[in-house]
Short mmCIF file of all heavy atoms in Angstrom, two decimals:
data_model
loop_
_atom_site.label_atom_id
_atom_site.label_comp_id
_atom_site.label_asym_id
_atom_site.label_seq_id
_atom_site.Cartn_x
_atom_site.Cartn_y
_atom_site.Cartn_z
N THR F 20 24.68 -11.44 24.71
CA THR F 20 24.88 -11.32 26.16
C THR F 20 23.55 -11.13 26.88
O THR F 20 23.31 -11.73 27.94
CB THR F 20 25.81 -10.12 26.45
OG1 THR F 20 27.04 -10.30 25.76
CG2 THR F 20 26.08 -10.01 27.94
N TYR F 21 22.68 -10.31 26.32
CA TYR F 21 21.33 -10.10 26.90
C TYR F 21 20.58 -11.42 27.00
O TYR F 21 19.96 -11.72 28.04
CB TYR F 21 20.58 -9.11 26.00
CG TYR F 21 19.11 -8.95 26.31
CD1 TYR F 21 18.66 -7.97 27.18
CD2 TYR F 21 18.16 -9.79 25.71
CE1 TYR F 21 17.30 -7.82 27.45
CE2 TYR F 21 16.80 -9.64 25.97
CZ TYR F 21 16.39 -8.66 26.84
OH TYR F 21 15.05 -8.51 27.10
N ARG F 22 20.61 -12.21 25.94
CA ARG F 22 19.92 -13.51 25.93
C ARG F 22 20.44 -14.42 27.02
O ARG F 22 19.66 -15.08 27.73
CB ARG F 22 20.11 -14.18 24.56
CG ARG F 22 19.64 -15.62 24.49
CD ARG F 22 20.20 -16.31 23.26
NE ARG F 22 21.64 -16.24 23.20
CZ ARG F 22 22.48 -16.97 23.92
NH1 ARG F 22 22.00 -17.84 24.79
NH2 ARG F 22 23.77 -16.85 23.78
N GLU F 23 21.75 -14.45 27.22
CA GLU F 23 22.32 -15.34 28.23
C GLU F 23 21.93 -14.88 29.63
O GLU F 23 21.70 -15.70 30.53
CB GLU F 23 23.84 -15.38 28.09
CG GLU F 23 24.51 -16.47 28.89
CD GLU F 23 24.05 -17.87 28.51
OE1 GLU F 23 23.86 -18.13 27.31
OE2 GLU F 23 23.85 -18.69 29.42
N MET F 24 21.83 -13.57 29.84
CA MET F 24 21.49 -13.04 31.16
C MET F 24 20.02 -13.28 31.51
O MET F 24 19.70 -13.66 32.64
CB MET F 24 21.78 -11.53 31.21
CG MET F 24 23.26 -11.18 31.17
SD MET F 24 23.51 -9.38 31.12
CE MET F 24 22.72 -8.88 32.63
N TYR F 25 19.11 -13.08 30.56
CA TYR F 25 17.69 -13.17 30.85
C TYR F 25 17.10 -14.54 30.58
O TYR F 25 16.17 -14.97 31.27
CB TYR F 25 16.91 -12.12 30.03
CG TYR F 25 16.91 -10.75 30.65
CD1 TYR F 25 17.82 -9.77 30.23
CD2 TYR F 25 16.02 -10.41 31.65
CE1 TYR F 25 17.82 -8.51 30.80
CE2 TYR F 25 16.00 -9.15 32.21
CZ TYR F 25 16.92 -8.20 31.78
OH TYR F 25 16.92 -6.96 32.35
N PHE F 26 17.58 -15.24 29.57
CA PHE F 26 16.99 -16.52 29.18
C PHE F 26 17.83 -17.71 29.61
O PHE F 26 17.32 -18.84 29.61
CB PHE F 26 16.80 -16.56 27.65
CG PHE F 26 15.75 -15.62 27.14
CD1 PHE F 26 16.06 -14.31 26.85
CD2 PHE F 26 14.45 -16.05 26.95
CE1 PHE F 26 15.10 -13.44 26.36
CE2 PHE F 26 13.48 -15.19 26.48
CZ PHE F 26 13.81 -13.87 26.18
N GLU F 27 19.10 -17.49 29.94
CA GLU F 27 20.01 -18.57 30.34
C GLU F 27 19.98 -19.70 29.31
O GLU F 27 19.84 -20.87 29.63
CB GLU F 27 19.64 -19.09 31.73
CG GLU F 27 19.77 -18.04 32.82
CD GLU F 27 19.42 -18.57 34.19
OE1 GLU F 27 19.04 -19.76 34.28
OE2 GLU F 27 19.54 -17.82 35.17
N GLY F 28 20.12 -19.33 28.07
CA GLY F 28 20.08 -20.29 26.98
C GLY F 28 19.30 -19.72 25.82
O GLY F 28 19.04 -18.52 25.74
N GLY F 29 18.91 -20.58 24.89
CA GLY F 29 18.15 -20.12 23.75
C GLY F 29 19.03 -19.57 22.65
O GLY F 29 20.26 -19.72 22.65
N ILE F 30 18.40 -18.89 21.69
CA ILE F 30 19.08 -18.34 20.52
C ILE F 30 18.56 -16.93 20.27
O ILE F 30 17.37 -16.65 20.48
CB ILE F 30 18.83 -19.21 19.27
CG1 ILE F 30 19.21 -20.67 19.54
CG2 ILE F 30 19.63 -18.70 18.08
CD1 ILE F 30 18.78 -21.61 18.43
N SER F 31 19.45 -16.04 19.84
CA SER F 31 19.05 -14.68 19.48
C SER F 31 19.67 -14.31 18.14
O SER F 31 20.74 -14.81 17.77
CB SER F 31 19.48 -13.67 20.55
OG SER F 31 20.89 -13.61 20.63
N SER F 32 19.00 -13.43 17.41
CA SER F 32 19.52 -12.93 16.14
C SER F 32 18.99 -11.51 15.93
O SER F 32 17.86 -11.20 16.34
CB SER F 32 19.09 -13.81 14.96
OG SER F 32 19.63 -15.10 15.06
N VAL F 33 19.80 -10.68 15.30
CA VAL F 33 19.40 -9.30 14.99
C VAL F 33 19.67 -9.06 13.50
O VAL F 33 20.74 -9.41 12.99
CB VAL F 33 20.19 -8.28 15.83
CG1 VAL F 33 19.72 -6.86 15.49
CG2 VAL F 33 20.03 -8.56 17.31
N TYR F 34 18.70 -8.46 12.83
CA TYR F 34 18.83 -8.15 11.40
C TYR F 34 18.44 -6.70 11.17
O TYR F 34 17.44 -6.23 11.72
CB TYR F 34 17.95 -9.07 10.56
CG TYR F 34 18.25 -10.54 10.76
CD1 TYR F 34 17.44 -11.31 11.59
CD2 TYR F 34 19.34 -11.14 10.14
CE1 TYR F 34 17.71 -12.66 11.79
CE2 TYR F 34 19.62 -12.47 10.34
CZ TYR F 34 18.81 -13.23 11.16
OH TYR F 34 19.09 -14.56 11.37
N LEU F 35 19.23 -6.01 10.36
CA LEU F 35 18.98 -4.60 10.04
C LEU F 35 18.86 -4.45 8.53
O LEU F 35 19.43 -5.22 7.76
CB LEU F 35 20.11 -3.71 10.56
CG LEU F 35 20.44 -3.77 12.06
CD1 LEU F 35 21.57 -2.80 12.38
CD2 LEU F 35 19.22 -3.46 12.91
N TRP F 36 18.13 -3.42 8.11
CA TRP F 36 18.05 -3.09 6.70
C TRP F 36 17.85 -1.59 6.55
O TRP F 36 17.31 -0.92 7.43
CB TRP F 36 16.93 -3.86 5.99
CG TRP F 36 15.57 -3.68 6.57
CD1 TRP F 36 14.63 -2.75 6.23
CD2 TRP F 36 14.97 -4.46 7.63
NE1 TRP F 36 13.49 -2.91 6.98
CE2 TRP F 36 13.67 -3.95 7.84
CE3 TRP F 36 15.40 -5.54 8.40
CZ2 TRP F 36 12.81 -4.47 8.82
CZ3 TRP F 36 14.55 -6.06 9.35
CH2 TRP F 36 13.27 -5.53 9.55
N ASP F 37 18.33 -1.05 5.43
CA ASP F 37 18.28 0.39 5.17
C ASP F 37 16.89 0.80 4.73
O ASP F 37 16.23 0.10 3.95
CB ASP F 37 19.29 0.78 4.09
CG ASP F 37 20.73 0.50 4.51
OD1 ASP F 37 21.29 1.30 5.27
OD2 ASP F 37 21.28 -0.53 4.07
N LEU F 38 16.42 1.93 5.25
CA LEU F 38 15.16 2.51 4.79
C LEU F 38 15.38 3.47 3.64
O LEU F 38 14.45 3.74 2.87
CB LEU F 38 14.46 3.22 5.95
CG LEU F 38 13.93 2.33 7.07
CD1 LEU F 38 13.29 3.17 8.17
CD2 LEU F 38 12.94 1.30 6.56
N ASP F 39 16.58 4.02 3.54
CA ASP F 39 16.93 4.90 2.42
C ASP F 39 17.50 4.05 1.29
O ASP F 39 18.32 3.15 1.51
CB ASP F 39 17.95 5.95 2.85
CG ASP F 39 17.44 6.81 4.00
OD1 ASP F 39 16.23 7.10 4.02
OD2 ASP F 39 18.25 7.16 4.87
N ASP F 40 17.08 4.36 0.06
CA ASP F 40 17.61 3.62 -1.09
C ASP F 40 19.11 3.79 -1.23
O ASP F 40 19.82 2.83 -1.53
CB ASP F 40 16.91 4.08 -2.38
CG ASP F 40 15.43 3.71 -2.38
OD1 ASP F 40 15.07 2.73 -1.69
OD2 ASP F 40 14.64 4.41 -3.05
N GLU F 41 19.58 5.00 -1.02
CA GLU F 41 21.01 5.28 -1.08
C GLU F 41 21.40 6.03 0.18
O GLU F 41 21.41 7.26 0.21
CB GLU F 41 21.37 6.11 -2.33
CG GLU F 41 21.08 5.37 -3.64
CD GLU F 41 21.46 6.21 -4.84
OE1 GLU F 41 21.95 7.35 -4.64
OE2 GLU F 41 21.27 5.74 -5.97
N PRO F 42 21.69 5.32 1.28
CA PRO F 42 22.02 5.99 2.54
C PRO F 42 23.27 6.85 2.41
O PRO F 42 24.31 6.42 1.92
CB PRO F 42 22.27 4.82 3.50
CG PRO F 42 22.55 3.65 2.64
CD PRO F 42 21.79 3.86 1.38
N SER F 43 23.14 8.12 2.80
CA SER F 43 24.27 9.04 2.74
C SER F 43 24.06 10.11 3.80
O SER F 43 22.95 10.33 4.30
CB SER F 43 24.38 9.68 1.35
OG SER F 43 23.20 10.39 1.03
N GLY F 44 25.12 10.80 4.14
CA GLY F 44 25.03 11.84 5.15
C GLY F 44 25.11 11.28 6.55
O GLY F 44 25.19 10.08 6.78
N LYS F 45 25.08 12.19 7.52
CA LYS F 45 25.22 11.78 8.92
C LYS F 45 23.93 11.22 9.48
O LYS F 45 23.95 10.31 10.28
CB LYS F 45 25.71 12.98 9.75
CG LYS F 45 27.12 13.42 9.40
CD LYS F 45 27.57 14.55 10.31
CE LYS F 45 29.01 14.97 10.01
NZ LYS F 45 29.46 16.07 10.91
N GLU F 46 22.80 11.80 9.11
CA GLU F 46 21.52 11.34 9.64
C GLU F 46 20.96 10.25 8.74
O GLU F 46 20.73 10.46 7.55
CB GLU F 46 20.54 12.51 9.74
CG GLU F 46 20.98 13.59 10.72
CD GLU F 46 19.93 14.67 10.88
OE1 GLU F 46 18.87 14.55 10.24
OE2 GLU F 46 20.17 15.62 11.65
N THR F 47 20.76 9.08 9.30
CA THR F 47 20.27 7.93 8.53
C THR F 47 19.01 7.37 9.17
O THR F 47 18.73 7.60 10.36
CB THR F 47 21.34 6.82 8.46
OG1 THR F 47 21.66 6.41 9.81
CG2 THR F 47 22.60 7.32 7.77
N SER F 48 18.29 6.64 8.38
CA SER F 48 17.09 5.95 8.85
C SER F 48 17.22 4.48 8.49
O SER F 48 17.60 4.14 7.36
CB SER F 48 15.83 6.53 8.22
OG SER F 48 15.64 7.88 8.60
N PHE F 49 16.94 3.62 9.44
CA PHE F 49 17.02 2.19 9.19
C PHE F 49 15.99 1.47 10.04
O PHE F 49 15.36 2.05 10.94
CB PHE F 49 18.43 1.66 9.49
CG PHE F 49 18.83 1.74 10.93
CD1 PHE F 49 18.61 0.68 11.81
CD2 PHE F 49 19.45 2.89 11.43
CE1 PHE F 49 18.98 0.76 13.14
CE2 PHE F 49 19.82 2.98 12.77
CZ PHE F 49 19.58 1.90 13.63
N ALA F 50 15.79 0.21 9.74
CA ALA F 50 14.86 -0.63 10.49
C ALA F 50 15.56 -1.95 10.82
O ALA F 50 16.62 -2.26 10.27
CB ALA F 50 13.59 -0.87 9.69
N GLY F 51 14.94 -2.69 11.72
CA GLY F 51 15.55 -3.95 12.10
C GLY F 51 14.60 -4.80 12.91
O GLY F 51 13.46 -4.39 13.22
N VAL F 52 15.05 -5.99 13.24
CA VAL F 52 14.26 -6.90 14.06
C VAL F 52 15.20 -7.65 15.00
O VAL F 52 16.29 -8.06 14.61
CB VAL F 52 13.46 -7.89 13.18
CG1 VAL F 52 14.38 -8.75 12.32
CG2 VAL F 52 12.57 -8.78 14.03
N VAL F 53 14.77 -7.76 16.26
CA VAL F 53 15.50 -8.53 17.27
C VAL F 53 14.67 -9.78 17.57
O VAL F 53 13.49 -9.68 17.93
CB VAL F 53 15.71 -7.71 18.56
CG1 VAL F 53 16.44 -8.54 19.61
CG2 VAL F 53 16.49 -6.43 18.26
N LEU F 54 15.28 -10.94 17.40
CA LEU F 54 14.59 -12.22 17.56
C LEU F 54 15.15 -12.97 18.76
O LEU F 54 16.36 -13.02 18.96
CB LEU F 54 14.74 -13.09 16.31
CG LEU F 54 14.38 -12.45 14.97
CD1 LEU F 54 14.69 -13.41 13.84
CD2 LEU F 54 12.92 -12.02 14.94
N MET F 55 14.25 -13.56 19.56
CA MET F 55 14.64 -14.38 20.71
C MET F 55 13.81 -15.67 20.70
O MET F 55 12.60 -15.63 20.43
CB MET F 55 14.36 -13.65 22.03
CG MET F 55 15.08 -12.33 22.18
SD MET F 55 16.77 -12.52 22.71
CE MET F 55 17.25 -10.78 22.77
N LYS F 56 14.47 -16.77 20.98
CA LYS F 56 13.76 -18.05 21.06
C LYS F 56 14.37 -18.89 22.16
O LYS F 56 15.58 -19.05 22.23
CB LYS F 56 13.83 -18.81 19.74
CG LYS F 56 12.96 -20.08 19.72
CD LYS F 56 13.07 -20.79 18.38
CE LYS F 56 12.12 -21.99 18.32
NZ LYS F 56 10.72 -21.58 18.17
N LYS F 57 13.50 -19.42 23.03
CA LYS F 57 13.93 -20.33 24.11
C LYS F 57 12.96 -21.51 24.11
O LYS F 57 11.74 -21.33 24.14
CB LYS F 57 13.91 -19.62 25.46
CG LYS F 57 14.19 -20.51 26.66
CD LYS F 57 15.64 -20.98 26.71
CE LYS F 57 15.90 -21.86 27.94
NZ LYS F 57 15.89 -21.09 29.20
N THR F 58 13.52 -22.71 24.07
CA THR F 58 12.72 -23.93 24.08
C THR F 58 13.00 -24.70 25.35
O THR F 58 14.16 -24.94 25.70
CB THR F 58 13.04 -24.81 22.86
OG1 THR F 58 12.75 -24.07 21.66
CG2 THR F 58 12.19 -26.07 22.87
N LEU F 59 11.92 -25.07 26.06
CA LEU F 59 12.04 -25.88 27.26
C LEU F 59 11.64 -27.30 26.90
O LEU F 59 10.48 -27.61 26.68
CB LEU F 59 11.13 -25.34 28.37
CG LEU F 59 11.07 -26.15 29.67
CD1 LEU F 59 12.43 -26.15 30.36
CD2 LEU F 59 10.00 -25.61 30.60
N ALA F 60 12.64 -28.17 26.82
CA ALA F 60 12.40 -29.56 26.47
C ALA F 60 12.50 -30.42 27.72
O ALA F 60 13.14 -30.05 28.70
CB ALA F 60 13.41 -30.03 25.42
#
């Protein structure tokens, strides 16, 4: 939705991965990446 509002097209993807080898408990740590691409042809 963010991509459509700001870029009016293009492609977006989000990927997450765990920073803890065995995530457990309420408090967790993780990392991720938000990707945006818009091509003007």
